[in-house]
Amino acid sequence: MTKIELIGLSFEELLGELEKFGEKKFRAKQLWQWLYFHGVTDFSKMTSFSKDLREKLEQNYSITRPKIVTEQISSDGTRKWLLEFADGQRIETVYIPEEDRGAICVSTQVGCGVGCKFCHTGSQRITRNLTAGEIVSQFMVARDVYGEWPSPSNGTPRKLSNVVVMGMGEPLHNTENTIKALNILTDGEGIALSKRRITLSTSGIAPKMLQIAQETGVKLAVSLHAPNNEKRTSIMPINKQYPLEEVLKACQEYQKIVTSRYITFEYLMLKDINDSLDDARELVALMKKYKLGAKFNLIAFNPWPGCGFEPSSNNRIRAFSQELERGGFVAPVRVARGQDILAACGQLKSKKEQN
Ligand code: SAH
Ligand code: SF4
């Protein structure tokens, strides 16, 4: 008999499992805390349970972490793990440290079916969606590595304070599992991450964006990368399906629900493609038309072998940023992290051809 995996079940599902053994809600709560507050992976350590119950759990259930195949550490402290799931599929998870905190960048799919022309992951196509458990367990394995269950042992602030859903895959092509995973991460009895510390990035799957607002309330980032449909479609073919008007209308709806928060627009700086001052002005006009509380994140393009694009020069990026700021929008340049280990945006891959 195959064992049922506990990581990734909602609380209601977990309760349903315990009820099979005649256990009540408070037991399910305790189990939840063992899994998500203490980070226990071994039933014998669940000391508030009777030996009998521990044995029953052991026989019927598993608590699995993905296997760390490799760990690479960048000169800037960024870490990248190649993780393997039970079926042998692999993804990458990245930890990006900052002075007094840090973000785990989680993947939602093996590969990605959106096919943005500038993205290394996108050149790999989609193999499968990750389950909710596989999404959450990327964060959990990082907590194992950093010894942060239930909190850092020496009383220092958590290194793993934030989550960005910006790894491999399009989260809104795997919406249900992503939502389930985010709700586990924010559950107050377990990992208890604040919604404000989670940012989900999407290429703009307009019809699904509202659901994220309603069912999670996390911060939103949208990969815009161009000021008009023609340019956007040329680098992001998905724009044919969900053109800018639809994406920006969905952003307006998002802001009605998740109020008082900016939407971050990610804008990849590609030399001679989307980095002129005219592009910047068109972008400002577009934002004003939709009256969005927006800020920009200008991303330096990370080239990969055979990509066919070049990064914009620093001068170009600076001028572009200033033009957006003149238009009233904050537009910092996102410093690339972990480039030396191919852990930066758009460089993640899971197949053997990776460098
Ligand atoms: N699929 C989602 C989230 C993952 S990609 C999305 O597209 O938003 C995370 C960010 O990395 C996106 O803004 C994406 O456009 C950007 N990105 C992709 N390829 C890149 C590259 N080669 N250099 C820099 N950023 C890249
Ligand atoms: Fe997929 Fe995002 Fe890469 Fe586009 S940028 S191919 S949506 S992972």
Side-chain angles (χ1 to χ4, degrees):
M1 197 193 75
T2 49
K3 293 182 177 182
I4 296 174
E5 175 60 34
L6 292 182
I7 300 298
L9 296 186
S10 67
F11 180 76
E12 284 65 36
E13 289 167 339
L14 194 71
L15 176 60
E17 293 302 324
L18 282 190
E19 280 171 347
K20 291 183 189 165
F21 302 103
E23 297 291 348
K24 301 246 159 47
K25 195 167 178 181
F26 83 97
R27 281 273 176 247
K29 271 200 169 164
Q30 285 177 324
L31 180 53
W32 185 269
Q33 286 166 351
W34 282 122
L35 298 176
Y36 295 114
F37 181 74
H38 298 285
V40 162
T41 52
D42 183 346
F43 291 104
S44 68
K45 297 210 172 108
M46 299 184 177
T47 47
S48 56
F49 294 167
S50 68
K51 194 156 175 281
D52 180 48
L53 178 59
R54 277 182 266 164
E55 275 167 11
K56 277 191 205 140
L57 291 174
E58 175 79 55
Q59 280 157 16
N60 294 285
Y61 301 99
S62 57
I63 307 169
T64 311
R65 295 284 197 266
K67 193 173 99 194
I68 299 180
V69 182
T70 56
E71 179 187 61
Q72 286 172 277
I73 304 180
S74 156
S75 52
D76 68 15
T78 302
R79 287 194 195 208
K80 181 171 82 168
W81 295 285
L82 178 64
L83 301 180
E84 186 175 293
F85 299 112
D87 66 350
Q89 289 296 336
R90 293 173 170 193
I91 53 100
E92 293 183 316
T93 300
V94 179
Y95 172 64
I96 309 144
E98 277 169 40
E99 223 154 273
D100 51 355
R101 61 203 179 116
I104 284 287
C105 179
V106 300
S107 296
T108 52
Q109 298 182 307
V110 183
C112 182
V114 176
C116 303
K117 302 254 167 79
F118 45 77
C119 176
H120 208 189
T121 307
S123 70
Q124 200 197 294
R125 302 221 166 76
I126 174 83
T127 304
R128 71 167 173 85
N129 281 337
L130 298 188
T131 64
E134 288 168 338
I135 298 170
V136 175
S137 63
Q138 295 170 55
F139 181 80
M140 300 179 82
V141 90
R143 267 209 176 165
D144 294 345
V145 170
Y146 280 91
E148 294 200 347
W149 298 109
S151 50
S153 51
N154 51 6
T156 54
R158 282 191 188 286
K159 290 198 164 67
L160 311 183
S161 57
N162 292 57
V163 166
V164 291
V165 186
M166 296 187 185
M168 295 165 54
E170 168 48 55
L172 302 192
H173 277 172
N174 187 15
T175 315
E176 299 301 326
N177 290 334
T178 300
I179 289 175
K180 202 170 172 194
L182 294 180
N183 286 329
I184 293 173
L185 287 172
T186 54
D187 184 280
E189 301 276 324
I191 294 170
L193 272 186
S194 152
K195 290 170 187 167
R196 283 183 301 276
R197 291 182 177 275
I198 301 181
T199 304
L200 177 143
S201 173
T202 177
S203 59
I205 311 300
K208 300 283 183 181
M209 284 160 61
L210 198 59
Q211 201 185 341
I212 297 292
Q214 285 164 335
E215 295 179 29
T216 74
V218 300
K219 293 207 284 192
L220 184 70
V222 174
S223 296
L224 207 60
H225 305 330
N228 59 48
N229 281 322
E230 196 191 341
K231 283 199 180 185
R232 195 164 189 263
T233 303
S234 74
I235 52 175
M236 299 177 71
I238 190 87
N239 190 68
K240 265 187 272 171
Q241 210 174 338
Y242 309 115
L244 278 174
E245 298 75 38
E246 271 184 48
V247 174
L248 295 176
K249 265 192 215 130
C251 289
Q252 288 178 326
E253 294 300 312
Y254 202 98
Q255 267 185 330
K256 278 187 206 149
I257 296 171
V258 184
T259 51
S260 79
R261 286 185 205 161
Y262 285 105
I263 289 180
T264 301
F265 289 99
E266 295 160 288
Y267 196 97
L268 193 57
M269 299 297 293
L270 298 167
K271 187 178 174 194
D272 297 334
I273 306 266
N274 64 359
D275 64 347
S276 73
L277 289 182
D278 279 346
D279 291 322
R281 288 181 200 120
E282 201 177 348
L283 205 50
V284 168
L286 188 68
M287 288 297 129
K288 291 203 165 147
K289 183 172 164 203
Y290 284 88
K291 297 190 175 61
L292 288 165
K295 70 174 191 193
F296 285 92
N297 225 330
L298 302 182
I299 309 175
F301 174 59
N302 297 311
W304 37 276
C307 66
F309 293 100
E310 284 176 63
S312 306
S313 69
N314 286 341
N315 279 345
R316 269 276 167 118
I317 299 179
R318 211 170 307 127
F320 196 93
S321 164
Q322 281 166 358
E323 192 61 36
L324 292 181
E325 280 172 7
R326 249 196 300 280
F329 297 97
V330 185
V333 182
R334 191 200 283 167
V335 189
R337 302 290 301 268
Q339 243 176 330
D340 52 341
I341 56 168
L342 281 180
C345 301
Q347 294 183 311
L348 303 183
K349 293 207 77 164
S350 60
K351 291 265 168 71
K352 291 215 183 65
E353 73 251 37
Q354 82 187 73
N355 315 50

